[in-house]
Amino acid sequence: QYLGREDSPALIKVTLYSLNDPFCAFPVGSIRGLDGGTGGESTARLRHGSRCRLRPPGKSDTFRMRVYEPATLLDTVIHDGVEVKR
């Protein structure tokens, strides 16, 4: 659940990456050669008070999660590199 403060962004993006992706270049499930590319839900956009459930594809149970403030060209990293588990 996104419980932002008054000065927090109105919208954030939460994305899961493989622990083998040191640059966080490809969300889990986005490239067939890396993890099977079976789809799934490894990215979500949240507004204040909203919540989501991520369902990444594959057999891995551990991921790296990054939180961004969405932007037109390049999203701004708000929080970098929390390890999360299913």
Side-chain angles (χ1 to χ4, degrees), residues 15-86:
T15 305
L16 297 179
Y17 297 92
S18 167
L19 293 178
N20 297 325
D21 182 358
F23 302 108
C24 294
F26 304 104
V28 173
S30 64
I31 303 289
R32 286 194 183 279
L34 293 178
D35 56 24
T38 57
E41 299 167 0
S42 59
T43 299
R45 292 176 181 257
L46 301 170
R47 297 199 177 279
H48 288 278
S50 62
R51 64 177 64 200
C52 71
R53 183 172 298 188
L54 298 176
R55 296 176 184 94
K59 296 179 181 179
S60 180
D61 288 327
T62 307
F63 306 91
R64 180 175 177 188
M65 183 178 73
R66 268 189 167 178
V67 180
Y68 300 92
E69 180 175 6
T72 305
L73 292 177
L74 294 173
D75 297 337
T76 304
V77 177
I78 297 172
H79 192 2
D80 182 22
V82 173
E83 189 173 308
V84 296
K85 297 182 184 228
R86 279 189 208 266

